[in-house]
Amino acid sequence: MAVVVETTIGDFTVDLYTEERPQTCRNFLKLCKIKYYNWNLFHSVQSNFIAQTGDPTGTGKGGESVYGIVLGEKARYYEAEQMPKIKHNRSGLLSMVNCGNSMLGSQFFITLAPELQSLDGEHCVFGEITEGLEIILKFNETICDGDHRPYQDIRISHTVILEDPFEDPKGFVIPDQSPPPTKEALMSDRIGADEVIDDTAGMTAEEIIEMQKEKEAKARATILEIVGDIPDAEMAPPENVLFVCKLNPVTTDDDLEIIFSRFGKIAGCEVIRDRQSGDSLQYAFIEFADRKSCEEAYFKMDNVLIDDRRVHVDFSQSVAKMRWRGKGKGIQYFDDNGDETCNENREKSSLRYKKRDECKVNDDTRSQRENDKRYREEILEHRKHERRKEINRGNSEYSHDGEKYKEEKYRDNSRERYEHEFRRRKEKKRRSRDRSRDREQNKRESHKESKRKKKYDSEKRRRDRNSSSISSEDSKHERHSNHKKKYTRDRSMERYEKFEKHKQKRR
């Protein structure tokens, strides 16, 4: 037995367990027959759990069975059927809500996920959705408030009974037409079921594009949070750290610190290197003491030449050393060793170390540091000068690039030589194969020709022997016939010889 349930988000077909749950199926069919479920609200939708309806008041406290409608308030509920046991083991099952002490009324729910063992033994399963299972996905995507009520109303608009095997109870009145929606349904404080939601109403094209970009960014951040790349989707990277890439492999931490220190105090500068080989990966992170210095460096150092390489500068998007404590608890930081620190402790420790260094350093060490900086700058200038010399001599931009070009050119030449040798050997094999095939063919033809000549000679000798034994009278006739045969054989022999000569000429 089947019933088609039409809702505001789509239609689905229910197949009832009339043999296992006859009383519950009779109650459900008769309620559908009097259009009791029309305009009923799905007042509770819990994603990946259940979607509950069947209460005309929409509060989850109302509803009554068909026996209560026919017999009165005393028969408002009826006792649930316990046997046979049917488990809530898959999505799309329909189950009556237990109103207490295993008593059932009109409310039922749809399972939105498999293996809901917590509902077994308490609620009564009486049917399943056989067509329109995609409605379950729409229920799972519904946005609800804290009480699990959807912000946009979802209602049963109509029910159609395909077959009813049960008799109507006495005093059962069937309405002529479906009842209209109630005033409570029309005066709902939620978004109407047929109301179209337009988030872009009254917005300009630029605002719409900006809103779409924000949604895409949030979606990407949520995906990164799911895969564990970032601690929280709402977490923002530090605003005082710069990311520098396209560096020269010879550029060191000290070189970058000297170059970027003119914009402000640098709390840390690190060129990222390979753990095994120690080679530079050609990108670095520079942490400034304040945000203003970081912004100034970002605007002035992008596309600047450092060690003959034009670097790219951007704000860091890394949150590898940050962990979200929870809502309202802030962020905790982790150092390179994995030890927990907080933002205030980091700033205090950095200031404490700076003061300690300043106390230890005297005038001689300060002058020594200035000399070291000057020495590093001279080294950088010397490197630039050497690079310009190489370019002027007609070499490649970098010496190692020139060596690499030579190696690639040598490999290309060797590959060409190998391919040429391979083609030559292949052609040689083909020619030898053709020659051997021609020799075999010539042998077969010569053998056939020798057999043909032998046969011709034996025939000639036999004719000579026969011509001497015949009588004189018959000899004339025989000679005439033999002469005629000989003439034809001679002609055929001449044609054969001409054909052989023509064949040899073609060769």
Side-chain angles (χ1 to χ4, degrees):
M1 305 306 120
V3 177
V4 178
V5 181
E6 300 176 3
T7 68
T8 54
I9 61 172
D11 306 339
F12 56 88
T13 303
V14 178
D15 192 4
L16 302 178
Y17 301 153
T18 54
E19 295 182 0
E20 296 85 353
R21 300 284 189 265
Q23 192 174 355
T24 305
C25 292
R26 183 185 182 190
N27 174 56
F28 181 76
L29 283 170
K30 300 309 174 184
L31 290 175
C32 292
K33 203 168 186 178
I34 63 174
K35 309 303 179 184
Y36 185 83
Y37 290 123
N38 284 23
W39 305 110
N40 279 16
L41 181 71
F42 280 89
H43 56 268
S44 177
V45 178
Q46 302 180 45
S47 180
N48 293 315
F49 189 51
I50 62 170
Q52 186 172 336
T53 184
D55 181 10
T57 63
T59 60
K61 299 178 181 179
E64 58 183 339
S65 67
V66 69
Y67 310 108
I69 296 172
V70 175
L71 302 176
E73 183 66 22
K74 293 182 179 180
R76 181 179 180 183
Y77 302 109
Y78 67 95
E79 190 175 356
E81 297 160 299
Q82 301 293 336
M83 299 301 292
K85 293 183 179 180
I86 304 175
K87 296 183 179 181
H88 300 78
N89 56 2
R90 60 181 182 275
S91 303
L93 294 176
L94 270 70
S95 183
M96 278 289 178
V97 177
N98 186 357
C99 299
N101 299 324
S102 297
M103 301 301 288
L104 309 179
S106 63
Q107 293 191 44
F108 67 93
F109 61 82
I110 304 170
T111 58
L112 305 181
E115 304 300 332
L116 300 178
Q117 291 88 351
S118 60
L119 304 175
D120 295 341
E122 183 178 358
H123 305 283
C124 179
V125 179
F126 67 95
E128 63 175 329
I129 297 176
T130 55
E131 295 181 9
L133 279 170
E134 64 274 3
I135 301 301
I136 292 174
L137 298 177
K138 295 183 180 180
F139 277 119
N140 284 329
E141 294 173 357
T142 302
I143 302 173
C144 304
D145 58 9
D147 297 329
H148 306 294
R149 182 175 174 181
Y151 284 107
Q152 186 174 16
D153 290 340
I154 302 174
R155 298 181 181 274
I156 297 175
S157 57
H158 194 61
T159 55
V160 180
I161 301 173
L162 301 181
E163 187 178 355
D164 184 6
F166 303 103
E167 294 181 358
D168 297 336
K170 293 181 180 180
F172 187 72
V173 180
I174 302 173
D176 298 333
Q177 58 182 359
S178 298
T182 61
K183 292 182 180 180
E184 296 177 356
L186 296 175
M187 296 299 293
S188 176
D189 58 346
R190 301 295 171 123
I191 301 172
D194 57 347
E195 185 177 349
V196 179
I197 302 173
D198 188 7
D199 296 335
T200 61
M203 297 176 64
T204 61
E206 296 178 355
E207 292 175 345
I208 293 172
I209 294 171
E210 186 176 356
M211 183 181 68
Q212 291 175 352
K213 289 182 179 179
E214 289 179 358
K215 288 182 179 179
E216 291 176 358
K218 288 182 180 179
R220 288 194 294 268
T222 305
I223 292 171
L224 292 176
E225 180 186 0
I226 292 171
V227 301
D229 196 17
I230 59 176
D232 184 70
E234 301 295 332
M235 179 179 290
E239 298 179 351
N240 62 330
V241 179
L242 278 183
F243 170 73
V244 185
C245 62
K246 299 183 180 180
L247 293 172
N248 196 313
V250 300
T251 305
T252 61
D253 305 342
D254 297 334
D255 299 337
L256 289 179
E257 187 175 356
I258 292 170
I259 294 169
F260 283 86
S261 60
R262 65 190 182 93
F263 299 102
K265 293 182 180 179
I266 294 178
C269 178
E270 181 183 6
V271 175
I272 307 302
R273 299 182 178 277
D274 187 80
R275 291 184 179 181
Q276 295 181 354
S277 63
D279 297 335
S280 172
L281 298 179
Q282 302 179 16
Y283 69 92
F285 292 95
I286 302 173
E287 183 179 0
F288 287 87
D290 55 351
R291 176 182 173 183
K292 186 177 180 181
S293 303
C294 184
E295 291 179 353
E296 187 178 358
Y298 167 72
F299 287 114
K300 292 186 178 180
M301 291 302 294
D302 190 25
N303 205 29
V304 172
L305 199 66
I306 298 178
D307 286 343
D308 294 337
R309 291 286 182 92
R310 293 201 176 275
V311 300
H312 175 65
V313 178
D314 198 355
F315 290 103
S316 174
Q317 302 297 320
S318 175
V319 291
K321 297 182 180 180
M322 302 170 66
R323 296 292 184 275
W324 190 53
R325 292 180 173 180
K327 189 173 182 180
K329 297 181 181 179
I331 299 170
Q332 66 186 35
Y333 291 84
F334 290 83
D335 56 13
D336 296 334
N337 298 325
D339 299 330
E340 180 182 351
T341 59
C342 64
N343 195 13
E344 296 179 357
N345 292 338
R346 290 182 73 204
E347 293 178 357
K348 289 180 181 179
S349 61
S350 61
L351 292 173
R352 186 167 60 252
Y353 287 130
K354 286 182 181 179
K355 288 180 181 179
R356 186 188 65 181
D357 294 340
E358 289 177 0
C359 293
K360 289 182 179 180
V361 175
N362 53 22
D363 296 337
D364 296 335
T365 55
R366 287 197 186 95
S367 61
Q368 183 66 29
R369 284 188 176 181
E370 292 177 358
N371 293 333
D372 292 341
K373 288 183 179 179
R374 215 173 286 114
Y375 176 70
R376 292 194 192 98
E377 291 176 357
E378 289 177 358
I379 290 174
L380 293 175
E381 291 295 331
H382 177 70
R383 289 175 182 169
K384 293 179 181 179
H385 183 65
E386 291 295 328
R387 298 292 187 278
R388 293 193 192 96
K389 279 185 177 180
E390 292 179 0
I391 293 170
N392 293 332
R393 283 199 300 268
N395 295 336
S396 60
E397 187 175 0
Y398 306 106
S399 59
H400 60 275
D401 290 345
E403 294 296 331
K404 185 178 179 181
Y405 172 74
K406 290 179 181 178
E407 292 177 1
E408 291 178 355
K409 188 175 180 181
Y410 177 76
R411 284 198 297 269
D412 294 339
N413 292 335
S414 62
R415 190 182 296 110
E416 289 178 1
R417 289 194 298 271
Y418 173 76
E419 291 176 356
H420 176 72
E421 185 67 20
F422 177 77
R423 288 195 297 270
R424 188 183 66 79
R425 290 179 180 178
K426 190 174 181 180
E427 183 67 20
K428 185 177 180 180
K429 289 181 180 179
R430 188 187 64 79
R431 289 177 180 176
S432 62
R433 190 167 56 251
D434 292 344
R435 284 197 296 270
S436 62
R437 188 177 62 249
D438 293 340
R439 284 196 297 270
E440 292 293 331
Q441 187 176 359
N442 292 334
K443 285 181 180 179
R444 287 194 296 271
E445 290 178 355
S446 60
H447 181 66
K448 287 180 182 180
E449 186 176 357
S450 61
K451 287 177 70 177
R452 200 180 292 112
K453 286 184 178 180
K454 287 180 180 179
K455 187 178 180 180
Y456 176 76
D457 294 338
S458 63
E459 287 290 333
K460 187 176 180 181
R461 286 194 296 272
R462 186 179 62 80
R463 286 196 303 272
D464 293 341
R465 284 195 303 270
N466 292 335
S467 61
S468 60
S469 61
I470 60 175
S471 60
S472 60
E473 293 180 358
D474 295 335
S475 62
K476 292 182 181 180
H477 178 71
E478 186 69 21
R479 283 196 299 273
H480 179 72
S481 60
N482 289 338
H483 177 74
K484 192 174 182 180
K485 290 179 181 180
K486 184 180 178 181
Y487 176 75
T488 55
R489 282 196 296 270
D490 293 341
R491 291 293 303 273
S492 63
M493 194 66 188
E494 289 178 1
R495 285 196 299 270
Y496 173 73
E497 291 176 354
K498 287 182 181 180
F499 173 74
E500 289 296 328
K501 289 179 180 179
H502 180 68
K503 189 175 180 181
Q504 289 178 1
K505 286 181 180 180
R506 290 185 63 183
R507 291 181 184 175

